[in-house]
Amino acid sequence: MHLPRQLGALHDLPDTPEAYDAVLAGVAEEALTRLTPQGNLEHPDCGDDIGDTSLGITSLLALAWQRGKDPRLPEAVRRSLAFHLRERVYTEDNPGYPNLKARGTGLPYARYVLEAGAHPIGDWPSTVWALLQAVDVLDLADGLVEDEQRAELLQVAQGYWRWLTEATFFNPQEAGNQAIGCVVGGLMLARHLSPEQGESVRARAIALYLDEIRARRVADRGALLPPEHGGAYDNNYGPISLSFLAQAHRISGEEIFAEDGDALARYIDARLTNGGFDNGGPRYSEQHSGFESVLGLRYFSARIGSDLGRYRGDTRWGRHAVKADGGIDGHFAWMLVWQIQDTTPWHRSPSPVPARHQLRAGTVSVAFDSRMTPSLVEAAGTYYLPAAVNRQHGFGPVTDGFLFCRPMGEVRVRDVIADGLTAKLVTKPVVGRDHVLRHVQSLYVTDGTSLWITVAVERLPGTPYLLAGLPYATDDGDRVRRTAEGQITAAGELRLTHPESDGPDHFDARADRTQEEAAFALAADPRGYGNPDEGWRHLVSSTALEADPAPGAPEDLHVFAVRYGPTGPFAPTFTYDGSGLTVRTEAFTAVIGEPAGGAQGEPELTLRAG
């Protein structure tokens, strides 16, 4: 089976002015056909996320007219705008909406579901989206919308802003993308107000960002990130937050948005595989965004100098939101407007600067979590997740059911680039169940095609093995296909094991089931509301690669050695002297310094080819 939403790299989508004009021309033709006598542009099958969608298509028609002056569009814009103002602006409180601070204000808002009291929880983000659609139309209204209608739209937009920031709790879903979107709406609205009103709204928007978003950032992998549905990062919404930060910086010029966007962009770059695959998040695990991410990934790829556009998006949404029949949906239309207006080019080459939480060269990459344990390994087009044993997840030595990967003290990292090789040495102090402190030293070396992992640790009791990953997915053209195998060789005996139980907390890679489906099955709350990352942490066991110790290691050490990538002879040797452990393979020689390190406590690493 193919993963449903891990599709093409977003920087492969044509983004020339001509390509965008063709997209807008297609939108216009479909919209003109769909436009009802009442002026409605909503997709006939739209039931939720609906309150802003007709207005979103209106904004796309307005942009198409500004660029091409199609004489059919002004009337469609005015009719569809009148429909939104007449039929989609609500001023009576939605029954059951739980996040109001003041009732009966009469302020306008947009509904997630049109029926009163039906799923009102989504009204806050729907109103943010409606505000953004409204300010886009205001930006594009010159020569297109008559003064009276424009004034009414401006009044509604001001009302949306007040409802979001006065009548309700701010950011009630703890969703960074929604909250930053609201700030962007305020910044864009401010430009259409009198100088005094505009400065007040602008100041309020920036204060909300500082006090309600930036001050509540969540730490992950050495970065501070806007919280997303209670977690640090979601691979659907995180890149959307990056797009909002890009627009906030474009509109306001405030450096705080650029600085925070740079931090989020570097974080995404570090966690993202070379092939653009990623998984994990507090709302979705593998439901990637498409056009909603393009602005942020493109804007910040240029700022940080790395190829963020390799991100595999859902290219079925590569231009705009669509329904199952392929018909356009106006949801998130402002992201298409903004990415067309922004002319920043893609940066298409990797950053040459080593990153603590990433090893990357050629077609090989390793993304590391906050504990400097691999969270994703990529080699030969196959992606490996951390395996699970006895409710413990990761890569590392295992003995008597205990996985040695959770540090008890400072983790030391050393990066080396030499002779066409890229390497990272990770040294962790780890305490086992016997309360003995051992130093686990993990060496990762790649030539851009293969990945060698060597793990050395003070001798372990019992019959240890290396937990070497869960083969999960593999590239298949421009798709990603589920798999249960990979190209891997070990110095000791290598086994691919599968859970003996078929319960939901045992993940068998041979089953037609995605990681996201398994994670939601274990999450505490329903799909779309539960935390799949939290659910996945309940996994007891999984398919796993297990490598026995390599022969010929020094007596007081257990050494494990595996190679991911093209198969062939693999017989590494190991010697130990006063300078450390020397590892010789068919491709390189490395000397891993003592765990205690030198004068600064930093373990040394020397590396040469051959």
Side-chain angles (χ1 to χ4, degrees), residues 135-207:
V135 292
D136 269 355
V137 174
L138 289 169
D139 283 352
L140 298 164
D142 286 347
L144 187 60
V145 177
E146 296 173 354
D147 290 346
E148 182 177 350
Q149 197 177 40
R150 182 174 183 168
E152 185 180 357
L153 178 61
L154 178 58
Q155 185 178 17
V156 167
Q158 287 180 275
Y160 285 154
W161 171 254
R162 290 189 59 200
W163 188 86
L164 291 164
T165 60
E166 298 175 20
T168 70
F169 291 94
F170 185 79
N171 190 20
Q173 296 183 14
E174 297 183 13
N177 75 99
Q178 299 172 8
I180 305 171
C182 182
V183 168
V184 171
L187 295 172
M188 296 182 70
L189 172 65
R191 303 183 305 172
H192 293 280
L193 303 174
S194 67
E196 183 178 354
Q197 286 181 307
E199 183 52 38
S200 175
V201 170
R202 177 188 168 94
R204 174 67 169 146
I206 294 174

